[in-house]
Amino acid sequence: MASPSRSQAHLFCTVVDNYGDAGVCLRLARHYARKGAQTTLVIDEPELIDRMMPNWRQEPRLSVQTEAPSLAGSPQPIELTVIEAFQFDAPLDYRVALEQLHASGTTVQRIALDYLATEPWAASHQGLASPDLEVKHAAMEKGHSTNPAGPAATRQWFAPSFYGQGFPMIHDDFIEANSEQRQQMRARLGATQSDDFLVMAFGYPDAPWDELKEAFQSHGLPSGFKQAVFWQPKGLELTQDEFDIALQACDLNFVRGEDSFVRAHWAAASRWQVPFVWQPYRQEGNVHADKLSGWLSKAGEFEPHYKAFTLEFNRLGAGAGLSESWSGVLSAWDQIRAQLSQFGFVYKGRDRPT
């Protein structure tokens, strides 16, 4: 990476329905800023950033705005990384200006960052060309041509992935909770007794919470716990740092989407070894089932009861039912905690994006 004053990163994000996209982009922007790049996060709802990370203005190299940065002015950066996240293109005039910036000597890397890819095919697709044909057409309309080695032609596709060639998951901002932080958060989330089994119930509307409670009633809880306490996040009631603490304060995390799913790995790898169950975003064509299957297959050594329970929770199981599969989880509770912890630990050792 070039010197901090001459290295820049521009990230483009739009908020679709939930806040996961904004959360991922904020973590990524903070990562680049802390690596030394003057970083701009362009997002259509910047007020979300204030709620997720109220102290973001204390990051000296991070800015948040709604409009694309100007590429004019001096001095020009030596290198510029442009990340267009989750199938959202930067404004066309900005993308055209990138071609001119590249022609003037700046190294421009454009990345089309897609959603988390757990499927095996993702490994062979990382880094493939994803040319921006709209820029080429815009140039042709003006009687110009684009450089075949320019940013539009050489844009690359990446996705966060558990496979080695993927775009690594950000974890260098994860705060490992100490005992006092964990206890304070448990009380804040409603667990006031030492034998409370605190469950993070962060799922989509079709998550089977009633069935889960019935399973707890029928088969009990892990050793040492007497009663279950459910905490269901409502909106952005916690900052990103507080959410990391909350994941470690619970005894079992049910997480949804992508951002909380990745962070649950780091909570599993923490000293608290908190197990988790993932509910992918439901998609047409059963794409969510492929994502879940891809992740469970990657974690091929997982205890079979854990896999069965995860599938039943997502209504993709063989029909044994959530209650019966929970009984199996209880029989292998310590093994499941250890395996999830190891799986998270392996990925905390991955290289960071540069």
Side-chain angles (χ1 to χ4, degrees):
M1 181 175 283
S3 64
S5 61
R6 303 300 300 278
S7 173
Q8 295 183 16
H10 298 167
L11 290 85
F12 292 84
C13 174
T14 186
V15 179
V16 179
D17 48 9
N18 295 304
Y19 307 131
D21 293 358
V24 171
C25 289
L26 174 57
R27 295 188 195 281
L28 191 56
R30 180 164 62 171
H31 171 84
Y32 274 95
R34 290 182 174 180
K35 291 280 283 186
Q38 194 65 41
T39 303
T40 302
L41 172 59
V42 182
I43 185 169
D44 57 339
E45 296 186 33
E47 63 275 9
L48 294 180
I49 305 304
D50 287 318
R51 296 168 65 186
M52 291 180 177
M53 191 170 74
N55 62 344
W56 70 264
R57 292 174 180 81
Q58 297 176 18
E59 299 283 346
R61 296 189 179 93
L62 177 62
S63 61
V64 178
Q65 57 194 58
T66 57
E67 302 293 332
S70 172
L71 297 178
S74 180
Q76 292 182 341
I78 294 176
E79 62 180 31
L80 171 62
T81 300
V82 178
I83 298 177
E84 295 158 291
F86 312 130
Q87 303 170 18
F88 173 69
D89 289 330
L92 180 58
D93 56 351
Y94 169 89
R95 288 180 279 146
V96 170
L98 287 175
E99 301 297 306
Q100 301 166 351
L101 187 66
H102 174 264
S104 69
T106 294
T107 299
V108 180
Q109 180 186 23
R110 283 186 65 185
I111 294 173
L113 184 64
D114 213 330
Y115 291 98
L116 177 72
T118 63
E119 302 89 339
W121 58 258
S124 61
H125 286 66
Q126 302 286 353
L128 290 182
S130 178
D132 184 347
L133 299 181
E134 193 174 12
V135 169
K136 181 178 180 179
H137 293 156
M140 291 175 60
E141 288 178 357
K142 296 181 179 180
H144 304 305
S145 60
T146 55
N147 187 336
T154 60
R155 183 176 65 173
Q156 294 176 286
W157 180 91
F158 282 100
S161 174
F162 294 101
Y163 293 85
Q165 298 90 338
F167 204 81
M169 278 76 73
I170 300 299
H171 64 78
D172 52 3
D173 61 341
F174 184 80
I175 298 174
E176 182 147 333
N178 59 37
S179 297
E180 182 179 0
Q181 289 173 318
R182 185 173 189 267
Q183 194 57 41
Q184 289 176 348
M185 183 59 74
R186 285 180 66 84
R188 181 175 174 180
L189 302 184
T192 58
Q193 304 298 319
S194 60
D195 55 6
D196 283 342
F197 185 67
L198 183 57
V199 177
M200 178 179 288
F202 188 34
Y204 293 109
D206 62 342
W209 303 125
D210 289 341
E211 294 176 43
L212 182 64
K213 292 174 182 178
E214 291 175 4
F216 288 175
Q217 288 287 338
S218 298
H219 298 285
L221 301 170
S223 177
F225 298 102
K226 289 187 177 180
Q227 56 278 324
V229 175
F230 281 72
W231 177 66
Q232 290 184 283
K234 296 178 176 61
L236 292 175
E237 58 182 295
L238 298 179
T239 67
Q240 284 192 333
D241 289 345
E242 289 173 335
F243 188 76
D244 285 345
I245 301 296
L247 285 166
Q248 298 167 84
C250 292
D251 300 297
L252 175 60
N253 290 318
F254 289 86
V255 290
R256 74 185 198 187
E258 298 185 10
D259 186 48
S260 61
F261 172 51
V262 171
R263 306 308 281 191
H265 282 76
W266 314 149
S270 74
R271 60 183 288 199
W272 307 109
Q273 294 191 340
V274 184
F276 62 91
V277 175
W278 181 35
Q279 184 184 22
Y281 183 76
R282 190 171 293 276
Q283 296 173 272
E284 294 182 2
N286 244 21
V287 173
H288 61 289
D290 293 337
K291 282 186 175 291
L292 183 61
S293 176
W295 180 72
L296 289 173
S297 298
K298 179 61 178 174
E301 300 302 317
F302 277 165
E303 208 283 332
H305 291 300
Y306 173 78
K307 289 188 176 183
F309 180 72
T310 298
L311 290 170
E312 291 293 345
F313 183 82
N314 282 278
R315 305 187 189 283
L316 296 169
L322 197 63
S323 181
E324 188 63 31
S325 59
W326 172 247
S327 175
V329 167
L330 288 175
S331 70
W333 181 254
D334 291 338
Q335 182 182 353
I336 290 169
R337 288 184 66 204
Q339 289 180 336
L340 283 167
S341 177
Q342 178 61 26
F343 191 57
F345 180 79
V346 167
Y347 285 97
K348 284 190 77 172
R350 286 276 306 281
D351 291 335
R352 284 62 153 178
T354 58

